[in-house]
Amino acid sequence: MPSEMPALDKNDLGKGSFTQYKYGLSPNNGRVRLRLAGSNPYQDTLREIVESGAGPLETAISRRSQQQDAEDAPIEVRLFTGSRVSGPVGWVPRGLESIVDEALSRLDIKGRKQRIPVEIIRKGGLYRVELKMGETR
């Protein structure tokens, strides 16, 4: 995992808020989503995934190690597309890494795969990756 997030376009900063989560960083409801930052450079990869019709899509990430957490390392996201793992498709927005770490932990405690469901949407002519955080409750 790279230790530095690349510079991002102002329209590619991702989207998410702590106000959508309860104590313990559990999503308020099943509709809560988190949009990844830094997807602009990966438009070709996202187009290939959408055109291939692969599904259902899930994240291919793991919890940050203590060292990565201490360094406040960004989380690069890849996707499981059927039986293979895609190239990078974006980054968890800065400051929201703990939400993703807690979701992965919650899934592990429940005995489920540590994969967050994903939807690729088209917004402003570009593909964006949204993590379906509400489905990790």
Side-chain angles (χ1 to χ4, degrees):
M1 234 189 236
S3 61
E4 285 194 34
M5 194 167 167
L8 301 174
D9 179 43
K10 71 175 186 168
N11 297 322
D12 195 21
L13 298 176
K15 185 176 180 182
S17 171
F18 280 101
T19 61
Q20 297 177 307
Y21 299 85
K22 301 176 196 169
Y23 177 77
L25 299 179
S26 177
N28 286 337
N29 59 58
R31 297 180 312 273
V32 174
R33 291 179 177 229
L34 188 147
R35 185 175 306 144
L36 294 183
S39 293
N40 283 355
Y42 308 114
Q43 291 299 302
D44 291 337
T45 302
L46 292 169
R47 186 177 306 103
E48 286 176 23
I49 293 169
V50 168
E51 289 175 357
S52 73
L57 300 174
E58 299 174 311
T59 59
I61 55 178
S62 58
R63 295 189 67 202
R64 294 196 298 179
S65 67
Q66 287 182 335
Q67 179 183 358
Q68 290 168 326
D69 198 32
E71 294 172 3
D72 194 26
I75 300 175
E76 183 180 62
V77 178
R78 296 172 185 266
L79 302 178
F80 277 110
T81 58
S83 61
R84 66 182 190 93
V85 176
S86 74
V89 295
W91 302 79
V92 173
R94 295 303 287 165
L96 301 177
E97 294 92 347
S98 58
I99 291 172
V100 173
D101 272 344
E102 278 304 312
L104 295 172
S105 176
R106 197 169 38 254
L107 292 169
D108 187 37
I109 290 168
K110 290 180 178 181
R112 295 167 52 192
K113 292 179 186 174
Q114 291 186 37
R115 298 180 186 169
I116 301 170
V118 170
E119 183 177 359
I120 298 175
I121 61 168
R122 184 112 180 179
K123 184 164 179 80
L126 296 170
Y127 291 105
R128 299 291 182 228
V129 180
E130 291 191 348
L131 306 186
K132 298 178 179 180
M133 301 303 291
E135 294 184 22
T136 65
R137 299 184 322 148

